[in-house]
Amino acid sequence: MSNNSPFLRQPASVQVVMLKVLAALLPGIAVYIHFFGWAVVVQIAIASVTALVAETVMLAIRKKALKPFLTDGSALVTAWLVALTLPPIAPWWLAVLGVLIAIVVAKHLYGGLGQNPFNPAMVAFCALIVAYPQLMSQWPAVGFTDFGAQMQAVFGHRDLDAVVMATPLDALRTALHTPEARATVSGVLGSHATFGNIGGRGWEWIALGYLLGGLWLVQQRVITWHIPAAFLGTLGLASLLASLASPDQYAGPAFHVLTGGAMLGAFFIATDPVSGSTTPRGKLIFAAGLALLTWIIRVFGAYPDGIAFATLLMNICVPLIDMSTQPAVFGHKGKQP
Amino acid sequence: MRPLFGFTGGVKPASHKTESNQGGIVVAPLPPVLTVPLRQNAGLASRPLVQAGDRVLKGQAIAGPGGSISVAIHAPTSGTVRGIETHPIPHPSGLLAPCVVIEADGEDRWIERTPVDPYALPVEELRTRLRDAGVVGLGGAAFPSFVKTQHGPTQRIETLILNGAECEPFITCDDLLMRTQAGQILDGAAVLAHIAGAQRIVVGIEDNKPEAVAAMTAAAQRAGLLVEVVAVPTRYPAGGEKQLIRVLTGIEVPFGKLPPDYGVQCFNVATAYATARALLHGEPMISRLVTVTGNVERPGNFEVRIGTPIADLLKLAEPKADTDRNLMGGPMMGFALPTLDAPVIKATNCILAGSKAMFPAPGPEMPCIRCGSCARACPMDLQPFEMYWFSRAKILGKAQEYHLFDCIECGCCTYVCPSRIPLVDYFRFAKSEIRAREKENEAADAARQRYEFRLEREEREKQEKAAKLAAKAAETKAKLAQAGDADDKKALIAAAVARAQEQKAEEKPGVE
Amino acid sequence: MLEALLVMALGSVILGGALGYASVKFRVEGDPLVEKIDAILPQTQCGQCGFPGCKPYAEAIAKGEADINCCPPGGEDGIHKLADLLGREFKPLSGEHGVEKPKSTAVIDENVCIGCTLCIQACPVDAIVGAAKQMHTVVASQCTGCELCLAPCPVNCIDMVPIPETIDNWKWKYPVFAVQKAA
Ligand code: SF4
Ligand code: SF4
Ligand code: SF4
């Protein structure tokens, strides 16, 4: 312990920060449960337990103090994010595997809390989607909330044809990419049973849930406005321009912002401080780049959502962005009255 | 009303001012022995003028300025000099330093005091008087005030800022001084402004001190002075010199520049008061107001003689039993006193008794999660976590690139860090390490030069010697030629042998 | 899939370009190697490295004739810096040249000094003043602590005194928090 000034400390801790992040996820999760059933809670539970066990083992191997690190809550945040990006009816071992990749590989092999250059949850997501593309895109239909059947899918034999349905993003891309189909955005969005009014039935409400939690995080000063604003703004702008240019081919901003993982990404994934930019201007650039890559991968890529890959790509650029966006220091700003 | 500019960052810790600002000012009793350190100001230590056994009067100079950035030091009471002894001084290192130890005779007899009319004397004379009265900044850094009233040819001082912000929690000595001595403070400020050539005086006081603001405003009106008294928003560190200048004028003084580069200069209110005492009353700086507060039964403000043992002072406030440390200064920028034997010095604004309950040990240090809280709290717009990263890894050059030396060590970053990293400790370490290395490099450069100079000299001497020898050889040859060819060879060999011996002898001077 | 790969490839190309640009832009052209090495050496000029001074040792290192771990006054710190500069592996100080000692200065016992001037001739930086048959004094601020004056003194009146810690040279320590200091 130090016996030097300052002797006063604000009662803040990593734990409090992480708990606030978890709390902010709750509204989104509540809506999620409403539309997709309680399976997501089971996934979160599986992920949390795995995370805590993995964290304990890794800390023990690395001979680190258990208590402060285990209770800091960062492993739980990672676990929840992994669970929320998996389909709720994914087999249980997928969540376990994902969390193990996140905690063991992406976090501890890089030096543990505060040292990981990549967002652990997104590393896990990318690894899983590359390894198990099938499982990762088997989303249940909105409103399929039969808990028994879901548990059957998670823990037992998977017979899903009846319940699986493409996510809005998937459906849109598949329809537009099928060579012979002369599909248009409005055609797909209007006709398909998956779609609700804006971002897909249910999805838009979940997004609003995340938005609510995210705004609370901004108000609590856990995150700043830069990343969410730049992310959503850029994503909206890119899709707006594209849809203006060719409304048949590209979906508009409302759809992109409210579907898939956009809102979760904007407030909870891109804002991971460890692997993201930290300077105000850097955050704007980081989030804008992230949004642009997300949009590109969504529209032109083959994966259901682009956020995960985009995050990892932008994570690589963080040191460069931060270095070149250092804010001007007091007195070195040039203008003086 | 002047527009305020504010500054980014800062924190709002609980202010704890009411504990100590309720009562009046208590005059601390005269201790039997006073220990007056020779080094009290920033810059060079003072040079002693007395010896063991000398009788001194109260206010008599016992040490003179030890250089251009140094001031005189005076006997705080009348008595006998016991000697110049090494003694603990209030410093985080706990090291000893030379002090003049005076045994008080109890008479407390003043030396003859000569008040002056500052407006009738040349400005240079006033500066010398300030220096010889030992006036230094009383806000904490104890920088000689007469130096601050000067400015270089490219500089100017238009606005004199009086710092009464007192933003550190717990400390109230400036508050009390402003409430009770507003008139004297402004008189002193007017003199300082006169010496510095400033046209305007602006007083900045945090708005959690309404009584002080009122007293100063009233005094300004009474005196008919053109002084603006401005209440600034309460936010630590609004009383930092750079922050206060920015709040009041919008000017940012960067590291490496001085306020006069931008037309301003800043003095603490207590310094202005000391100036008034020194010039208008002829009383050198021998005492000051000290807040004693924290974990004590009777917190308050004391008028204390420089040289009073801190232990004696603390006793007046009756520290509680569970006091486990005593700080000099406030909780944000003060330091733990290694020993209470150290005396009160000119820079002592507060003695703060602390306990485990008051300053609970922060939880275990965690890795930095780059949350950026520290950067948002930093009033200097720095990126503390980057500086921390490099300071911790001892990559000092990189830390410097992130403007390490702009850090004012205010502690805001450490205050907010959720990982409870003692960031400022790393910055202090890195700064003093860099300074030490710079000194070492300078010494190494000097040594290199001296060494090269010596080599050159040796080389030159060798050549001179060789030239001498060659001349001699030529001479011998010529002689031989004259003497004829008979014993030619023999003579030549003899000469060569002689030369070789001579050379040998010259090469090893003084070995025999 | 292909598009994702393309995006990644594009990203890495941009990144590589940026890094390459940075490395070109921020490269420092500097003094020749010998001077850089010499700048790291402590300039004690003690000769413990086996060379008559720091500069000759620097030249030997630059030519590859000497190892980087032969300078005791420079210590481990100096070896680290040399290793960084030259891109070599760090190695501990070689014992045969001496050990790292706390920095000291020579002090002449003026009562014993016979004024023989031998130390003056030995001092590589002319830090000793005095004339023949008069007592000599070491100018502490110029003394590098090389100890070369100790051996020549016929009456052994020179001592090496470690530089004490004072308020002026005191440094804030590297933060260590394992130990709870008693306050
Ligand atoms: S406040 Fe602490 S944890 Fe957050 S960035 Fe700064 S040093 Fe790191
Ligand atoms: S201590 Fe230094 S880095 Fe920390 S907040 Fe204050 S000025 Fe900024
Ligand atoms: S051992 Fe002595 S002479 Fe050789 S480099 Fe080191 S300080 Fe210089």
Side-chain angles (χ1 to χ4, degrees), chain B residues 367-375 384-385 388 413 416-421 423:
Chain B
C368 168
I369 54 169
R370 291 166 54 87
C371 67
S373 301
C374 49
F385 58 94
Y388 154 70
C413 48
V416 298
C417 175
S419 288
R420 310 174 197 104
I421 300 169
L423 294 156

Side-chain angles (χ1 to χ4, degrees), chain B residues 39 43 89 91-93 95-97 324-326 335-337 356 361 365 391-394 409 422 425-426 428-430 432-433 436-437 439-441 443-448 450-454 457-458 509-511, chain C residues 35 37-45 51-56 77 81 103 118-129 139 141-144 165-177 180 182-183:
Chain B
R39 180 199 246 304
I89 63 166
H91 190 270
S93 66
L95 288 170
L96 311 186
D324 67 346
R325 74 194 97 179
N326 294 286
F335 59 89
L337 286 163
K356 285 232 158 51
E365 185 179 339
S391 302
R392 195 174 109 108
K394 300 189 187 170
E409 298 175 23
D425 281 358
Y426 285 96
R428 280 188 282 244
F429 154 75
S432 66
E433 195 63 38
R437 286 193 189 176
K439 257 193 210 161
E440 253 168 47
N441 278 349
D445 285 344
R448 184 185 297 116
R450 299 182 69 83
Y451 177 63
E452 275 164 11
F453 176 76
R454 182 187 167 91
R457 197 190 62 214
E458 278 173 355
V511 169
Chain C
E35 300 213 336
I37 299 173
D38 195 37
I40 292 174
L41 296 176
Q43 305 302 323
T44 309
Q45 317 292 5
F51 294 88
C54 300
K55 190 71 167 275
D77 223 29
K81 282 189 199 153
K103 206 166 168 335
L118 290 179
C119 56
I120 295 189
Q121 290 158 37
C123 178
V125 292
D126 296 335
I128 306 178
V129 289
V139 182
S141 65
Q142 291 170 356
C143 172
T144 63
E165 192 177 43
T166 66
I167 301 277
D168 289 302
N169 64 13
W170 178 79
K171 294 193 282 187
W172 285 95
K173 304 294 174 291
Y174 189 73
V176 181
F177 301 98
Q180 176 116 19

Side-chain angles (χ1 to χ4, degrees), chain C residues 58-128:
Chain C
E59 279 159 5
I61 295 179
K63 280 192 221 132
E65 288 164 5
D67 219 332
I68 57 172
N69 61 345
C70 306
C71 170
E76 308 253 305
D77 223 29
I79 301 174
H80 270 296
K81 282 189 199 153
L82 286 174
D84 283 350
L85 175 72
L86 302 166
R88 291 205 209 155
E89 199 73 18
F90 168 82
K91 31 175 109 168
L93 190 65
S94 93
E96 59 183 282
H97 296 279
V99 289
E100 196 175 345
K101 292 181 199 161
K103 206 166 168 335
S104 309
T105 49
V107 176
I108 296 178
D109 186 339
E110 294 172 357
N111 297 323
V112 184
C113 171
I114 51 170
C116 68
T117 78
L118 290 179
C119 56
I120 295 189
Q121 290 158 37
C123 178
V125 292
D126 296 335
I128 306 178

